[in-house]
Amino acid sequence: MINQIRAFLLERGIAVRQGPPALRSEIPIVLSMTDKLSPRMIQMIEDLCADWRYLDERVETVSDEIKTLSEQDDGAKRLMTVPGIGPIISTATVAAIGNGDAFSKGRDFGAWLGLVPRQMSTGGRTILGPISKRGNRYLRMLFVQAARAVLLRPQSWEKHGLKSWIEAAARRLNRFKLAIALANKLARIAWAVLHGGRSFEVRSMKPAAQCL
């Protein structure tokens, strides 16, 4: 919706600073530019802004509903003790795998999400390729976003027991692969939390011997 408003304005030679707050604050000024915008265009932009406000209200309502659900479910509450995991990821994970009994270990859950590398064996050698991207695409995307959120807050790594692991992995991996590797680790931790029926406990993690 925001991009659509911007596109109409750019067609009339009106550029607005990037970001929803900038567009929201400058809309009243823009709508007063009767020398550049016809009455019909002004009405169209006002209608789009009304739709935008409605969508914001719907997002807020649904977000409140998800937060309420996450606070009512024991599994979701335990998952939210894992770094990077909030109401959306916790409720989506519980909805997808329940208490995790369908998987015998965390690695199986990571593989189901498509966060482990494809293996290609030839001549007695095992070659690790890109991640498989199989399984629940939406949940995989959420765990990658959780990993990126954790990476953006290095001051929290030590508190969550991830500092040594992330620093060791960062020396071998680029930013993208590091996020995928961390997403896989967070997914395995999430499975352990659900399957074990306990909250996340901070423990010192040894640097991974091999990462994605």
Side-chain angles (χ1 to χ4, degrees):
M1 191 65 66
I2 292 171
N3 288 340
Q4 194 172 7
I5 295 171
R6 285 185 179 280
F8 280 124
L9 294 178
L10 284 173
E11 287 179 358
R12 301 305 186 276
I14 302 173
V16 182
R17 289 177 296 125
Q18 291 292 322
L23 180 60
R24 185 178 287 112
S25 65
E26 294 186 30
I27 277 295
I29 300 173
V30 169
L31 294 176
S32 67
M33 297 179 179
T34 54
D35 57 327
K36 292 186 177 181
L37 299 176
S38 66
R40 173 62 182 145
M41 181 56 65
I42 290 175
Q43 182 61 53
M44 184 180 296
I45 293 174
E46 286 177 342
D47 291 343
L48 290 172
C49 288
D51 292 340
W52 179 14
R53 287 191 295 272
Y54 170 75
L55 289 174
D56 277 347
E57 292 170 359
R58 287 289 301 135
V59 168
E60 186 174 353
T61 299
V62 174
S63 297
D64 289 342
E65 291 173 356
I66 292 174
K67 183 179 179 182
T68 299
L69 288 172
S70 69
E71 293 170 347
Q72 293 174 344
D73 186 273
D74 290 339
K77 284 193 291 188
R78 290 196 301 272
L79 281 175
M80 287 191 290
T81 64
V82 179
I85 294 183
I88 292 178
I89 301 178
S90 64
T91 51
T93 302
V94 170
I97 67 170
N99 59 7
D101 283 348
F103 306 98
S104 60
K105 53 184 179 292
R107 178 176 174 80
D108 293 341
F109 177 48
W112 180 76
L113 287 176
L115 287 170
V116 297
R118 289 196 297 264
Q119 295 189 11
M120 297 163 282
S121 300
T122 177
R125 290 192 311 149
T126 299
I127 302 173
L128 299 180
I131 60 172
S132 64
K133 293 186 179 181
R134 295 178 179 176
N136 192 316
R137 179 181 179 183
Y138 173 66
L139 202 53
R140 179 174 65 251
M141 176 194 70
L142 289 179
F143 272 99
V144 172
Q145 289 180 348
R148 288 174 176 160
V150 171
L151 292 174
L152 288 173
R153 299 179 178 85
Q155 67 275 11
S156 69
W157 297 352
E158 188 167 2
K159 179 180 69 174
H160 294 137
L162 295 168
K163 183 177 173 62
S164 61
W165 189 93
I166 292 176
E167 290 180 344
R171 288 193 287 270
R172 296 187 294 273
L173 305 174
N174 61 40
R175 194 74 175 173
F176 174 77
K177 289 184 178 180
L178 177 60
I180 298 298
L182 182 56
N184 185 31
K185 176 165 284 293
L186 293 178
R188 293 165 73 164
I189 294 172
W191 174 85
V193 165
L194 276 179
H195 189 68
R198 63 183 187 277
S199 298
F200 172 68
E201 298 175 0
V202 176
R203 285 181 289 180
S204 178
M205 295 186 180
K206 297 179 180 180
Q210 184 176 15
C211 300
L212 297 180

